[in-house]
Amino acid sequence: MNNPAVTIPQPRDLIRRMKDYHPPLGNRSGVRLDFNENTFACSPKVLETLARISRAELTMYPERGHVERIAAAHLGLKPDHVLLTNGVDEAIHVLCQTYLDAGGEMLLPVPTYSMYAVYASGTDAKLVEVQADNAFRFPLEALLACVSPATKLIAIANPNSPTGQAVRRDDILRVLNAAPHAVVLVDEAYFHFHGQSVIDLIGRVPNLIVARTFSKAYGLAGLRLGLLAAPEEQMQWLRRVISPYSVNSLALACLPAALEDQAYIDWYVAEVLAARDEFTAFIDRLGVRYWPSRANFVLTYIGPQHAAFCKAMHQRGILVRDRSADPGCDGCVRITIGTREHTAAGAKAMEEVLKEIGAAE
Ligand code: PMP
C-alpha cells in the first residue's frame, strides 16, 4: 500500500509550520471572566432588532455599505474611511494578507493579543517581536530601533491585552512618523474602557489604521462585528482582499440599534470601571500583585500555582484565563472585569482559592 503521507493532499509548507491556536472555548458555563466579553448582555434594542429580522434579510446576500455609512457618521469619519469586518480578527487577517509578503516584516510589541502573530505566521513575512519590560510599558525605543525599510506592518493594541497597559498618543505619533512606509494598526478593541483614541487622525495620517470591535463593551462577541478605519488610499486594497459577505445580515441589522443606544454603553462602561476599582482594591488587600489596567480586565500575578489557581476557580464556577505562556507573563492570570456582581463573585472565589492553594508570594 502507498504511504498515505505522500498520497493525500498536503498544505503549503507555511501552513504546516503554523502553530495551532485553539482558545479554550469548551464548557464555558459559569461566570465568564476569561475572554474579556461583556459579562451581562448587549443592549435590549439589539435583541428587539433581532426578533424583527425579516425573511428577505435572511434570503439576500448581506450588503454592508449603508451600515458602514451609519458607523462612519457615528465615529465622525467619512463613509470612505470605514470598513466593517467579521470582528477585529478578520480585520487583522485582512491586514496581514494585504501588506505582508516575502522579505517584509511585521513588528509586534509583546506580550499582546495572540491573533496578530497567528495571522502573520500564515504569510511569508518575518515576525519581529519586541519584548516589553516587567511593568509591560510600551517598548517605544526598542520598537523604533527595529523599524527598517522591510517593515510593512506594526500592530499596537491600545489598551493592550493581556496587560491592560495604555500607549500614549505621543508614542503612537512617534511610531507613525518613524515608519511612514509601514501600516501602523492601532487596535482599539478596548477603547470604551480607556476613552482615548487616535481615530481622529484617520485621513490626516496616511499610514494609520484603527480597529474597533463590538465584542467587548457592546456585548456582541457572538455576532462577529468589528471595523477598520483607514485612509482611502489603503481602503481600496483592503476591500480587494476582504470577502464581500463576511459581515452577515444579522450583524448588519443590529449595528445601527447598538450604536443608537449610547446610554446602554455608558451604563455598562461605568459599571465596569466601578467594578475594576472595587476588584483592584480587594486584591490589594489580599496582597496579590497586578498591573493597573485601562481595559475591562486585570492581569494578576499568581505565581507557579497559576494552573491550579485557574482550575480551582473553574471548580467554583468562575472562568479566568491563564496567560502564563505569553512572553514575559510567567505565573500570570488575566481576569475579566464585568458587572460589579460578576466581578465580586470572581474576587470572592479568588480569596478562597488563594487560601486553599497558598498565596502568590
Ligand atoms: N483585539 C484585541 C486587542 C483583543 O483582545 C481581541 C479579543 N480578545 C480582539 C482584537 C478580537 O476582537 P473581535 O472579537 O472583534 O474579533
Side-chain angles (χ1 to χ4, degrees):
M1 207 174 96
N2 287 339
N3 178 351
V6 293
T7 55
I8 60 170
Q10 298 297 316
R12 291 187 290 140
D13 274 354
L14 202 64
I15 304 302
R16 193 190 299 283
R17 287 199 303 272
M18 268 178 90
K19 279 192 231 124
D20 276 326
Y21 179 70
H22 299 298
L25 284 167
N27 183 21
R28 289 187 65 219
S29 56
V31 180
R32 293 182 297 269
L33 306 184
D34 49 350
F35 275 80
N36 302 341
E37 299 152 336
N38 177 315
T39 68
F40 182 63
C42 62
S43 153
K45 302 246 171 9
V46 171
L47 295 174
E48 285 162 25
T49 307
L50 274 176
R52 286 197 311 264
I53 291 289
S54 70
R55 266 187 255 178
E57 273 167 295
L58 292 184
T59 333
M60 286 157 60
Y61 281 103
E63 199 273 297
R64 48 160 74 106
H66 65 290
V67 189
E68 283 176 347
R69 288 192 282 282
I70 293 172
H74 180 85
L75 295 168
L77 297 172
K78 291 209 292 191
D80 293 344
H81 287 162
V82 171
L83 175 67
L84 290 177
T85 63
N86 188 285
V88 171
D89 280 358
E90 186 194 30
I92 299 166
H93 196 189
V94 166
L95 289 172
C96 289
Q97 290 301 315
T98 307
Y99 297 104
L100 297 182
D101 55 10
E105 292 185 354
M106 177 173 182
L107 302 191
L108 199 57
V110 293
T112 193
Y113 181 49
S114 313
M115 295 312 287
Y116 308 126
V118 171
Y119 289 129
S121 71
T123 74
D124 288 304
K126 186 175 151 202
L127 181 65
V128 179
E129 296 187 331
V130 183
Q131 180 67 46
D133 63 11
N134 289 345
F136 297 129
R137 277 182 293 247
F138 180 61
L140 174 67
E141 299 302 335
L143 185 72
L144 293 179
C146 291
V147 172
S148 79
T151 310
K152 300 286 178 199
L153 182 59
I154 303 174
I156 301 172
N158 188 31
N160 195 11
S161 176
T163 65
Q165 298 288 298
V167 188
R168 292 175 9 197
R169 186 180 172 95
D170 282 353
D171 291 357
I172 295 172
L173 287 172
R174 281 193 60 195
V175 177
L176 285 162
N177 285 331
H181 55 292
V183 162
V184 178
L185 167 68
V186 179
D187 180 348
E188 297 185 351
Y190 301 101
F191 158 74
H192 295 89
F193 309 104
H194 178 41
Q196 290 176 29
S197 175
V198 288
I199 210 163
D200 56 294
L201 298 176
I202 289 297
R204 288 200 276 144
V205 178
N207 59 333
L208 171 67
I209 296 186
V210 173
R212 292 278 181 90
T213 184
F214 295 87
S215 300
K216 309 297 178 187
Y218 285 92
L220 296 172
L223 271 188
R224 309 306 301 128
L225 195 51
L227 66 80
L228 282 179
E232 283 149 67
E233 299 75 32
Q234 302 310 321
M235 208 49 112
Q236 58 178 320
W237 312 126
L238 305 177
R239 287 199 186 276
R240 208 173 262 191
V241 173
I242 198 167
S243 155
Y245 311 126
S246 61
V247 181
N248 70 67
S249 303
L250 301 187
L252 291 175
C254 290
L255 185 56
L259 291 175
E260 266 165 36
D261 199 354
Q262 186 61 39
Y264 180 81
I265 295 300
D266 293 345
W267 167 77
Y268 187 70
V269 169
E271 181 75 15
V272 167
L273 298 188
R276 194 175 68 195
D277 282 349
E278 285 174 15
F279 179 76
T280 51
F282 184 81
I283 63 173
D284 261 336
R285 290 197 293 278
L286 293 183
V288 175
R289 251 178 67 200
Y290 64 92
W291 286 264
S293 168
R294 305 288 311 186
N296 66 336
F297 53 85
V298 174
L299 189 68
T300 63
Y301 178 75
I302 300 299
Q305 300 266 56
H306 56 94
F309 171 84
C310 294
K311 193 166 165 221
M313 290 289 280
H314 198 171
Q315 280 160 355
R316 283 171 172 76
I318 310 285
L319 309 182
V320 294
R321 192 80 181 270
D322 194 338
R323 301 284 4 168
S324 216
D326 288 22
C329 296
D330 196 22
C332 291
V333 172
R334 192 190 65 194
I335 298 169
T336 298
I337 305 298
T339 59
R340 275 177 284 189
E341 188 189 336
H342 290 148
T343 310
K348 180 168 169 284
M350 209 166 155
E351 181 173 28
E352 291 167 14
V353 167
L354 287 174
K355 270 195 200 124
E356 190 179 295
I357 65 170
E361 283 171 305

